[in-house]
């Protein structure tokens, strides 16, 4: 069974540009999460989808970040316009919708560098 | 905001030694996960503890959840170089926040041969 995949693995963009990150969750996992780790800090929650609906987006830093999950399968996270402080590693995770929904399986991450 | 503090932040030991990593919070979690992360990869789930006082063993790794579900520990017996990596604890919130994991800042373990 394929795990969580993320694309691209690495992205380098200039301040003010737009970047779109993609996440494909494990097949059958309705829960999808986005997290990020900025330099020297812990991994922090961004938002949680249940199928195509946003369950919790309390961790989204500001309105430059837009997450979508049309059709309830893969998800995209767009940063527009990117700022220097957006640099970091963005992780996607997925889990089942049942009593084990807290067991999240992570993708390899996308390393975003904003110059 | 629920915070998780891990200690120690860095740990360097010789092969064969035992070690314990701690994960503490002032908040109660419905469950707590331990992950291990290798460079360039995402965190890999090792174990989940759910019940206060629960102890789980995974080969040479022993995980314990505190009675009050606010803290946890990871004990490794006879560490091996292959245990080297970043160990992360993460707590799942209660009820409405159940899908949101709060991560500790990690313990970087180096086991020297």
């Amino acid at each position: 069974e394929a795990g969580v995949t993320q694309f691209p693995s690495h992205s380098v963009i200039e301040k003010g540009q737009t970047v779109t990150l993609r996440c494909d969750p494990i097949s059958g996992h309705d829960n999808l999460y986005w997290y990020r780790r900025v330099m020297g800090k812990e991994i922090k929650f961004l938002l949680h989808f249940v199928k195509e609906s946003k369950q919790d987006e309390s961790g989204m830093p500001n309105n430059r970040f837009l997450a979508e999950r049309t059709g309830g399968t893969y998800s995209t996270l767009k940063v527009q316009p990117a700022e220097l402080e957006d640099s970091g590693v963005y992780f996607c995770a997925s889990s089942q919708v049942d009593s084990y929904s807290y067991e999240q399986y992570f993708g390899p991450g996308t390393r975003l560098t904003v110059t | 905001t629920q915070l998780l503090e891990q200690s120690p932040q860095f740990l360097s030991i010789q092969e064969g030694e035992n070690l314990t990593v701690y994960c503490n919070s002032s908040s109660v979690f419905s469950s707590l996960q331990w992950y291990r992360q290798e460079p360039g990869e995402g965190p890999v789930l090792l174990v989940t503890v759910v019940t206060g006082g629960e102890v789980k063993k995974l080969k040479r790794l022993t995980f314990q959840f505190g009675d009050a579900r606010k803290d946890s520990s990871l004990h490794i017996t006879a560490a091996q170089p292959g245990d080297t990596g970043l160990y992360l604890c993460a707590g799942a919130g209660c009820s409405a926040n159940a899908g949101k994991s709060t991560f500790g800042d990690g313990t970087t373990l180096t086991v020297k041969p």
Side-chain angles (χ1 to χ4, degrees):
Chain A
E1 179 183 291
V4 177
T5 58
Q6 293 186 245
F7 182 83
S9 58
H10 194 176
S11 179
V12 181
I13 61 172
E14 293 183 352
K15 176 182 174 181
Q17 290 186 323
T18 298
V19 64
T20 300
L21 314 180
R22 172 170 171 146
C23 168
D24 286 79
I26 291 173
S27 178
H29 281 191
D30 287 336
N31 284 317
L32 187 150
Y33 313 84
W34 284 98
Y35 294 86
R36 77 171 177 179
R37 174 191 278 150
V38 296
M39 183 68 74
K41 299 288 185 74
E42 71 275 18
I43 296 173
K44 285 193 173 179
F45 169 84
L46 294 179
L47 89 159
H48 170 204
F49 283 100
V50 178
K51 295 186 178 179
E52 68 276 9
S53 299
K54 291 177 184 175
Q55 180 76 14
D56 181 353
E57 51 183 329
S58 61
M60 294 288 265
N62 51 60
N63 59 10
R64 294 186 294 103
F65 289 75
L66 175 65
E68 295 180 322
R69 195 183 180 194
T70 306
T73 54
Y74 71 90
S75 175
T76 58
L77 179 64
K78 180 190 289 187
V79 185
Q80 179 183 29
E83 297 289 345
L84 297 178
E85 63 264 25
D86 300 332
S87 295
V89 182
Y90 290 76
F91 293 104
C92 175
S94 71
S95 71
Q96 298 172 313
V97 177
D98 57 19
S99 59
Y100 296 95
S101 61
Y102 44 73
E103 293 194 339
Q104 301 178 15
Y105 296 87
F106 281 76
T110 293
R111 180 173 295 278
L112 174 64
T113 303
V114 183
T115 63
Chain B
T1 303
Q2 296 176 305
L3 297 176
L4 275 170
E5 294 184 353
Q6 283 187 243
S7 61
Q9 189 175 1
F10 298 97
L11 189 56
S12 180
I13 61 172
Q14 292 295 135
E15 181 176 1
E17 293 183 352
N18 301 331
L19 66 113
T20 303
V21 176
Y22 299 93
C23 179
N24 296 299
S25 175
S26 58
S27 301
V28 175
F29 292 97
S30 62
S31 67
L32 194 139
Q33 287 74 48
W34 282 93
Y35 294 86
R36 179 177 158 188
Q37 186 178 10
E38 301 288 345
E41 299 179 6
V44 175
L45 181 66
L46 295 175
V47 78
T48 294
V49 284
V50 179
T51 307
E54 182 177 6
V55 177
K56 280 192 175 179
K57 291 191 176 184
L58 186 66
K59 295 183 181 179
R60 293 177 293 100
L61 278 60
T62 301
F63 305 85
Q64 185 164 7
F65 203 11
D67 291 340
R69 291 185 291 135
K70 293 182 179 181
D71 53 82
S72 181
S73 63
L74 158 60
H75 182 80
I76 301 179
T77 303
Q80 299 177 1
D83 296 327
T84 293
L86 175 66
Y87 290 83
L88 298 161
C89 64
C94 300
S95 60
N97 291 323
K100 175 180 180 178
S101 286
T102 299
F103 277 82
D105 48 7
T107 294
T108 300
L109 172 65
T110 303
V111 182
K112 301 175 184 177

